[in-house]
Amino acid sequence: MSTSKTITITLFIATTLVASCNAAAKNNTTQPLFPAILIFGDSTVDTGNNNYPLNTIFRATHLPYGIDFPNRKPNGRFSNGKLIPDILAAKYNIKQFVPPFLQPNLSDHEIVTGVCFASAGAGYDDRTSLSTQAIPVLEQPKMFKSYIARLKSIVGDKKAMEIINNALVVISAGPNDFILNYYTVPLRRLEYPRVSDYQDFILKRLDTLVRELYSLGCRKIMVNGLPPIGCLPIQMSAKFRNIFRFCLEQENRDSVLYNQKLQKLLPQIEASLKGSKFLYCNSHDPVLDMMQNPSKYGFKETKRGCCGTGYMETSFMCNPFSRTCGNHSEFLFFDSIHPSEATYNYLGNFIDTQIRGWLKA
């Protein structure tokens, strides 16, 4: 065989191998881990639904919210940038940002790959949402039913149910129930003098929610626990004598007890719902670690938010006239309740590890 032919064949084989490797790499990076992502809950995962009902109290439609988003514009997210739904959707190659379901003129592609139904100020307890005019968590499946109808009109009944069966469903709520209804404004404390009894009430509501979502086709459901509520800046500020801004340990113990109950409840629900797969999302421990070891994460401030004084400001109190910190990524919280995008990025990595382990189990 001539030298020129040998070179030609060698180049052909090499080119074919490189093309095959590139195609395999491309498939590995672009294949979504889930066909869609569906979000239910409160402001920690609301990507903008509260922009649209006229009577909702908690909105993030003004600066400095969204200041570190790609277009540097407020969009309804209660942070300076992305939230956990966006971070997870990007990690799993589903989409870059998860739109709110109530956003007008959603494209077919947005519907097919998933949306957010969460509402800032919502809780599992309907009474929580009465004070904030949010869409209660247990009312959010009504929007989901409308979503399913549109999804079926786009891809057909069979494909729609395949998408929903395999979608990653994220539920994140609960803090508002305790902050608004139990600790700060004790509406429910008269009815449930023991916090453990109120926790049981909330968990029954959660049970009702996930069973309804299951009946609508959801199978892969991740449920977030409570953060260390007593370490939220607004809760530390609620105790006016707390000049050294210590975390409220009783509220933190309550959060731990609730999370322990939730961890026991989810396997029981899973056992009773054929084909379901539940994951308890532990965001409590990483947030507590960030508070106790801030330098490990590059944080310089963990006891107040970046917006205004950082002690009380949230929603309309955190506004274009509020001064903000110089370096947003050095603050664990952006306002007095909600984490900064830097915190959400660390949490996203932690949750991603939990989800990937869950899928392999």
Side-chain angles (χ1 to χ4, degrees):
M1 185 180 291
S2 69
T3 304
S4 60
K5 280 187 177 179
T6 302
I7 293 170
T8 302
I9 291 169
T10 303
L11 286 173
F12 173 76
I13 293 170
T15 304
T16 303
L17 286 172
V18 169
S20 298
C21 290
N22 286 342
K26 187 176 181 183
N27 286 337
N28 284 337
T29 56
T30 58
Q31 187 66 28
L33 193 58
F34 303 92
I37 186 168
L38 303 166
I39 311 292
F40 300 84
D42 59 20
S43 58
T44 56
V45 289
D46 179 4
T47 59
N49 280 308
N50 273 30
N51 295 358
Y52 303 104
L54 296 175
N55 55 349
T56 50
I57 293 172
F58 294 133
R59 294 170 180 253
T61 52
H62 52 269
L63 290 172
Y65 293 116
I67 195 166
D68 295 318
F69 214 70
N71 59 8
R72 298 181 65 83
K73 290 182 180 179
N75 49 58
R77 289 167 174 81
F78 281 80
S79 187
N80 53 309
K82 294 178 287 186
L83 303 184
I84 291 294
D86 307 307
I87 292 165
L88 293 181
K91 279 182 180 293
Y92 302 143
N93 297 309
I94 301 170
K95 59 175 77 183
Q96 287 301 305
F97 306 106
V98 181
F101 178 65
L102 295 181
Q103 178 181 309
N105 305 317
L106 281 177
S107 69
D108 287 353
H109 174 74
E110 293 287 24
I111 292 293
V112 170
T113 52
V115 296
C116 173
F117 305 98
S119 175
Y124 295 116
D125 185 347
D126 287 349
R127 192 177 291 180
T128 300
S129 301
L130 282 176
S131 60
T132 63
Q133 296 300 303
I135 304 164
V137 179
L138 270 77
E139 294 288 318
Q140 291 169 18
K142 289 182 180 178
M143 290 188 284
F144 184 41
K145 290 175 184 176
S146 299
Y147 164 86
I148 293 171
R150 181 164 172 199
L151 181 62
K152 286 181 175 179
S153 73
I154 297 168
V155 299
D157 290 11
K158 184 180 178 182
K159 181 65 176 176
M161 293 319 298
E162 283 178 11
I163 291 170
I164 293 166
N165 289 164
N166 292 290
L168 173 63
V169 179
V170 177
I171 302 172
S172 181
N176 291 328
D177 294 311
F178 293 92
I179 293 170
L180 297 176
N181 267 341
Y182 209 86
Y183 299 135
T184 309
V185 183
L187 295 172
R188 284 292 194 186
R189 211 184 306 165
L190 299 173
E191 193 174 347
Y192 300 97
R194 296 191 311 170
V195 70
S196 62
D197 292 335
Y198 186 59
Q199 291 173 346
D200 293 342
F201 167 74
I202 293 299
L203 290 169
K204 282 181 183 176
R205 301 283 292 169
L206 170 60
D207 185 295
T208 300
L209 171 70
V210 296
R211 289 180 188 278
E212 181 171 9
L213 294 180
Y214 177 86
S215 73
L216 295 170
C218 299
R219 294 295 181 268
K220 296 183 171 84
I221 302 174
M222 181 181 78
V223 183
N224 193 19
L226 293 179
I229 288 179
C231 289
L232 298 180
I234 199 166
Q235 290 305 98
M236 288 191 277
S237 299
K239 302 295 181 184
F240 295 107
R241 295 180 183 177
N242 188 9
I243 57 172
F244 298 108
R245 299 193 65 74
F246 296 123
C247 293
L248 308 182
E249 291 306 325
Q250 183 57 56
E251 293 186 8
N252 281 355
R253 285 192 290 270
D254 292 344
S255 296
V256 169
L257 178 59
Y258 173 91
N259 289 341
Q260 289 171 344
K261 290 179 177 181
L262 177 59
Q263 281 178 274
K264 290 179 182 177
L265 175 64
L266 293 179
Q268 294 171 8
I269 299 174
E270 182 178 305
S272 70
L273 299 176
K274 185 180 179 181
S276 68
K277 198 170 175 66
F278 283 84
L279 172 65
Y280 163 69
C281 176
N282 177 6
S283 59
H284 175 281
D285 293 352
V287 170
L288 193 61
D289 190 54
M290 290 179 212
M291 292 171 174
Q292 294 172 343
N293 303 287
S295 60
K296 188 165 84 174
Y297 301 90
F299 293 129
K300 292 186 176 178
E301 180 57 69
T302 63
K303 296 186 176 181
R304 63 184 181 90
C306 170
C307 184
T309 64
Y311 298 143
M312 295 294 292
E313 291 90 343
T314 188
S315 189
F316 56 87
M317 293 175 67
C318 174
N319 56 56
F321 301 103
S322 306
R323 62 175 180 81
T324 55
C325 58
N327 189 338
H328 305 158
S329 63
E330 292 179 349
F331 276 61
L332 193 151
F333 292 97
F334 188 65
D335 64 17
S336 65
I337 297 176
H338 303 99
S340 65
E341 183 183 51
T343 304
Y344 280 131
N345 278 324
Y346 286 120
L347 271 177
N349 291 333
F350 189 87
I351 294 168
D352 174 44
T353 301
Q354 292 183 67
I355 289 173
R356 291 182 190 273
W358 172 54
L359 292 177
K360 291 176 183 177

